[in-house]
Amino acid sequence: MWLAGDPYERFVGRWSRRLAPVFLRWLGVAPGGRWLDVGCGTGALTAAVAATADPRQVIGVDPAEGFLTAATAGGPVTFAAADAQALPIADESCDAVVSGLALNFVPDPARALAEFTRVARRNAVLAAYVWDYAEGMQMLRYFWDAAAELDPAAAELDEGRRFPLCHKESLRRLWTDAGLSDVAVLPIEIATVFRDFDDYWQPFLGGQGPAPGYVATLPDESRQALRDLLRARLPAGTIPLTARAWAVSGRR
Ligand SMILES: C[S@@+](CC[C@H](N)C(=O)[O-])C[C@H]1O[C@@H](n2cnc3c(N)ncnc32)[C@H](O)[C@@H]1O
């Protein structure tokens, strides 16, 4: 599902780059820290840490080599291949462990959070954001609602259904059950303005992630029917949507 960095950037990376600085401002981590970004992908959050949090060191890890190849970030940043559930990082060595739009794709999020906790220093910040797929992520809500109308099987793939973790209370519970303190959850909403219908639709043809992965399985006729339904549903001209993420944070 996650292979090529460039199409991912056009699909969702560009919006994660808008979210990340807002998330980091909310965390308010002190300068000079050692940061770990888990599921860093093409480096949207990693780059924002380097640019805005004045870190001593930032490590971005992700299992997708194709994303790591495309990942760039200025400053004291290194990238490495790793799974969130088995981090190649020493115990109690990080001041902040963060993750953007990735935790719901990890098979065992509780195990990942246990790893975040293991590598975090006492009082370190552990934080993540995921899309509010069920409601506030409009780009994907329009997509899955139209897809399910044309193809009932698409409803099973809808991330709003598949990822129960991506709700305020589920995130709070995961963080609290991991024994973290000062747990807080915040909705973060950004504008996702598409120049025109092509700017909305073309990134769905890039094959990266569940929705483009679904489009890639469709025969031409079905793909065109989905495109036409979406075109009819979305505003003509500029498409001013919004995307909401749930952010969660706590301290070790
Ligand atoms: C939607 S992308 C988010 C990438 C980036 N953090 C961002 O905000 O743009 C989801 C990422 O989760 C990563 N991922 C999937 N399973 C993972 C796992 N078990 N451990 C760590 N990362 C994982 C994928 O490789 C992909 O890069």
Side-chain angles (χ1 to χ4, degrees):
M1 194 194 325
W2 310 111
L3 295 169
D6 288 352
Y8 171 77
E9 275 294 318
R10 286 189 290 277
F11 180 53
V12 160
R14 58 175 162 163
W15 307 124
S16 191
R17 286 180 195 278
R18 295 265 177 91
L19 262 173
V22 186
F23 169 71
L24 294 172
R25 263 200 304 281
W26 176 57
L27 297 184
V29 174
R34 184 175 195 246
W35 288 70
L36 176 66
D37 176 15
V38 183
C40 65
T42 49
L45 176 53
T46 329
V49 171
T52 69
D54 196 8
R56 177 164 51 86
Q57 188 187 6
V58 196
I59 306 163
V61 296
D62 198 287
E65 298 277 2
F67 277 16
L68 292 173
T69 310
T72 51
V77 176
T78 51
F79 291 103
D83 189 304
Q85 302 158 118
L87 294 169
I89 305 286
D91 292 359
E92 300 194 31
S93 62
C94 299
D95 302 293
V97 183
V98 290
S99 178
L101 305 178
L103 214 45
N104 52 295
F105 295 107
V106 176
D108 186 347
R111 192 165 150 208
L113 204 54
E115 277 292 87
F116 290 16
T117 309
R118 177 184 66 74
V119 304
R121 293 199 172 106
R122 200 179 147 77
N123 219 29
V125 169
L126 286 74
Y129 56 86
V130 293
W131 290 128
D132 174 13
Y133 292 103
E135 289 183 27
M137 202 313 175
Q138 292 185 329
M139 171 186 116
L140 290 171
R141 252 328 345 118
Y142 270 99
F143 176 87
W144 287 117
D145 289 348
E149 196 170 312
L150 297 173
D151 170 14
E156 298 301 315
L157 304 172
D158 179 347
E159 292 143 300
R161 277 197 188 187
R162 276 179 52 208
F163 297 134
L165 178 63
C166 299
H167 292 270
K168 184 179 176 178
E169 288 314 319
S170 309
L171 289 169
R172 188 188 299 282
R173 204 172 318 117
L174 183 64
W175 253 240
T176 307
D177 288 353
L180 302 175
S181 58
D182 301 338
V183 175
V185 181
L186 180 80
I188 300 178
E189 194 162 290
I190 56 158
T192 51
V193 180
F194 299 88
R195 279 190 310 279
D196 52 24
F197 182 73
D198 266 2
D199 189 30
Y200 172 87
W201 174 249
Q202 286 296 329
F204 283 96
L205 307 181
Q208 306 303 304
Y214 169 72
V215 172
T217 66
L218 294 175
D220 284 354
E221 210 172 287
S222 308
R223 192 161 50 241
Q224 278 162 27
L226 179 54
R227 184 198 59 196
D228 292 347
L229 182 57
L230 281 163
R231 197 198 292 275
R233 293 267 163 87
L234 288 160
T238 304
I239 304 174
L241 303 183
T242 56
R244 182 165 65 214
W246 290 112
V248 58
S249 94
R251 285 188 183 273
R252 202 204 119 193

